[in-house]
Amino acid sequence: MGNVCDYLVKPFLFERFLLAVNRSLTLRIAGSAGIQEEDFIFLKAGRKTQKFIPSSIDFVEAYGIYSKIWSNGQMSLVNQSILYLSEALNNDIHIRVHKSYIVNISRITSFNHQFIWLGQTKIPIGVSFRTRIKGILPHFNKSDMRLEDDIENLIP
């Protein structure tokens, strides 16, 4: 019983099943001895299930009941909602900045109180997310602390 990382209650949605499988695979990789592989997540894209590496995802954009995943200048349309992806993606790497956007923190090149830029891509900061974002983004200038430590200290 000590190895339980998630459980499903019938009836469950396919999205919930994928979330459980992804958690299981992530924990198995993290707990394995020897060379550690990079985290990954499987997402349904059209009629196939595709592997994504979270650290390579630049940002996620809501597209109705689907989501657009932007990675290395390429867009992939996946069958999962942005709510599902905000739970499934690693919160040390990604942050939700708007009801329609999740961004990779390491890809942020500049920001102000209304927008975040990832290179030339301009992403709005949602009004309900501004307080949280204001507390996190100024800590990018600290060279002596890791960003993950700052996030853990600022978010309850």
Side-chain angles (χ1 to χ4, degrees), residues 51-62:
K51 181 178 177 179
F52 291 90
I53 299 172
S55 61
S56 71
I57 296 173
D58 299 326
F59 68 96
V60 178
E61 179 182 2

Side-chain angles (χ1 to χ4, degrees), residues 96-99 125-133:
R96 184 118 181 227
V97 298
H98 189 275
K99 67 179 183 176
I125 297 174
V127 175
S128 60
F129 296 88
R130 283 192 184 143
T131 305
R132 182 174 168 210
I133 302 300

Side-chain angles (χ1 to χ4, degrees), residues 134-152:
K134 268 188 198 178
I136 295 171
L137 293 181
H139 294 276
F140 276 93
N141 297 330
K142 289 185 178 182
S143 59
D144 57 335
M145 289 184 74
R146 290 182 21 221
L147 180 62
E148 294 85 7
D149 295 336
D150 290 343
I151 291 172
E152 287 174 13

Side-chain angles (χ1 to χ4, degrees), residues 14 18-19 22 40-46 48-52 57 60 67 69 77-81 84-85 88-89:
F14 183 69
L18 276 178
L19 180 62
N22 283 322
F40 58 88
I41 183 170
F42 283 102
L43 300 171
K44 191 155 173 53
K48 63 181 179 178
T49 302
Q50 188 173 333
K51 181 178 177 179
F52 291 90
I57 296 173
V60 178
S67 296
I69 295 183
L77 186 65
V78 297
N79 298 14
Q80 280 78 23
S81 68
Y84 170 83
L85 292 173
L89 291 173

Side-chain angles (χ1 to χ4, degrees), residues 50-111:
Q50 188 173 333
K51 181 178 177 179
F52 291 90
I53 299 172
S55 61
S56 71
I57 296 173
D58 299 326
F59 68 96
V60 178
E61 179 182 2
Y63 190 66
I65 61 171
Y66 304 103
S67 296
K68 294 179 182 178
I69 295 183
W70 294 87
S71 179
N72 303 318
Q74 301 280 333
M75 188 273 295
S76 298
L77 186 65
V78 297
N79 298 14
Q80 280 78 23
S81 68
I82 196 157
L83 178 61
Y84 170 83
L85 292 173
S86 67
E87 293 173 2
L89 291 173
N90 186 343
N91 291 327
D92 293 337
I93 299 172
H94 298 90
I95 185 168
R96 184 118 181 227
V97 298
H98 189 275
K99 67 179 183 176
S100 299
Y101 291 96
I102 300 170
V103 299
N104 185 328
I105 296 170
S106 66
R107 301 288 200 273
I108 297 173
T109 55
S110 60
F111 62 90

